[in-house]
Amino acid sequence: MEVSDWDDLRIFLAVARGESLSAAGRILRLDPATVGRRIARLEEGLGAMLFAKSPQGYALTEAGQGLLTHAIRAEQAVSGAMEEARGTPGKLVGAIRIGAPDGCANYLLPQVTAAICAEHPDLEVQIVALPRVFNLSKREADLAVGVSRPEAGRLSVQRIADYHLHLAASRDYLDNAPPIRTLADLKGHRIIGYIPDMIFDKEIDYLAEIGAETVSFGSNSVAVQFNWVRQGAGIGVVHDFAIPSAANVVRVLPEAFGLTRSFWLIRHADDRRVERLNRFADLLASGLRREVARLEAIA
């Protein structure tokens, strides 16, 4: 197959990542109809259908999957050429998208990526904060942070760091609620946690760990749960690294209850050959390790 120029691949990548003409149009700042015409022209030139169209969006066909690998390599080559043209060898440039659960995305990734971009000012970082597992085969992100190690797929997986969680509540809540001396005392308190049928990974199923059968305040978002804790709504299982962001939140029964979990850096296996992503992944992993350690030390 032959592709006329990089612009064809750029449009193809945007549709593959956005899974719709409108999403690609927003990325490219083009009218969706123009994007559609360009994809149709590319498919005609290649003599192959690259996308299967449905009401749910644009899904890559087998031919599209084959072109995707080549398109990503071309994208990395263009980024490398831009580095040389700008006279910034060794500097990271272009856009990199990170998928992460919202606890990591809210309380760790902003400061870690800001520090990276301070050293690489032409780098663009996008954080997709969603409480679910990311599909890197569909290129939803260039890399993802997960809370468990994937067991399937052509993926490269690296353990980043352990992190810790404890029961926590606001000082105001504890001052006005029945005393908590043991885990059994939790039965007299409002529990904050995940909506049970929206738990996306076994590693975040905390209810059984504290002996709670239901939650009084439930959300699929860690940030929402933590804000309930800050507002004095009840007691929740909270990341230690989030506690320093709220001066009125303290740990509850830290000697009786605590959890240890791990963050994993997950990438598509083919991307291990992309030096730009390797360098960014190393910076991200080391930055996350340092930030978890720093915040947990002052929790």
Side-chain angles (χ1 to χ4, degrees):
M1 295 192 298
E2 294 184 358
V3 180
S4 60
D5 56 28
W6 160 242
D7 203 44
D8 287 336
L9 291 179
R10 184 175 67 93
I11 292 173
F12 165 76
L13 280 171
V15 177
R17 287 165 174 161
E19 297 186 332
S20 74
L21 298 181
S22 58
R26 288 192 295 272
I27 295 170
L28 299 166
R29 298 181 183 178
L30 292 174
D31 182 84
T34 300
V35 177
R37 287 194 295 271
R38 293 292 299 273
I39 290 297
R41 190 178 75 183
L42 178 60
E43 290 179 326
E44 182 179 356
L46 294 174
M49 296 296 294
L50 301 174
F51 297 96
K53 295 91 170 175
S54 75
Q56 287 71 44
Y58 277 49
L60 287 168
T61 62
E62 185 175 349
Q65 289 284 359
L67 181 59
L68 181 63
T69 299
H70 297 290
I72 291 171
R73 290 176 183 168
E75 182 180 48
Q76 301 305 326
V78 169
S79 294
M82 289 171 61
E83 289 181 13
E84 293 184 8
R86 289 171 176 166
T88 56
K91 293 292 184 181
L92 296 171
V93 302
I96 294 180
R97 178 175 294 181
I98 310 165
D102 70 326
C104 178
N106 276 283
Y107 302 108
L108 297 172
L109 284 179
Q111 57 269 40
V112 170
T113 54
I116 295 173
C117 288
E119 297 296 324
H120 302 271
D122 292 317
L123 181 65
E124 301 171 22
V125 172
Q126 302 167 358
I127 298 173
V128 182
L130 291 175
R132 63 171 175 80
V133 177
F134 283 80
N135 189 331
L136 295 185
S137 295
K138 289 185 177 180
R139 298 294 172 169
E140 293 181 327
D142 295 300
L143 44 81
V145 177
V147 295
S148 64
R149 185 186 184 100
E151 300 297 333
R154 295 189 64 253
L155 301 171
S156 170
V157 183
Q158 170 190 353
R159 182 177 161 279
I160 300 173
D162 288 341
Y163 62 95
H164 302 89
L165 307 99
H166 287 88
L167 290 166
S170 73
R171 297 180 191 275
D172 290 341
Y173 177 84
L174 295 173
D175 288 343
N176 295 282
I180 307 170
R181 299 184 180 91
T182 69
L183 290 177
D185 293 331
L186 294 176
K187 292 182 179 179
H189 293 263
R190 289 183 172 271
I191 301 300
I192 299 165
Y194 282 96
I195 300 171
D197 62 358
M198 297 189 74
I199 292 174
F200 67 92
D201 192 296
K202 61 181 176 59
E203 296 295 336
I204 63 169
D205 188 0
Y206 309 135
L207 286 182
E209 302 273 1
I210 60 175
E213 296 179 358
T214 60
V215 293
S216 300
F217 295 94
S219 175
N220 66 333
S221 166
V222 166
V224 172
Q225 293 175 38
F226 188 62
N227 278 318
W228 267 325
V229 171
R230 293 175 64 179
Q231 295 301 318
I235 300 173
V237 177
V238 170
H239 297 82
D240 283 6
F241 58 68
I243 292 176
S245 67
N248 67 324
V249 173
V250 295
R251 289 186 288 195
V252 175
L253 300 177
E255 301 301 323
F257 175 83
L259 298 174
T260 300
R261 296 291 188 264
S262 298
F263 282 132
W264 300 85
L265 185 62
I266 306 164
R267 300 171 57 191
H268 195 279
D270 291 341
D271 291 346
R272 295 296 297 180
R273 293 174 291 185
V274 180
E275 182 58 27
R276 172 174 171 270
L277 288 181
N278 288 339
R279 290 167 56 203
F280 181 82
D282 288 342
L283 292 171
L284 185 69
S286 60
L288 284 171
R289 288 189 201 102
R290 288 193 301 271
E291 191 63 5
V292 168
R294 182 185 74 84
L295 291 173
E296 289 194 346
I298 59 177

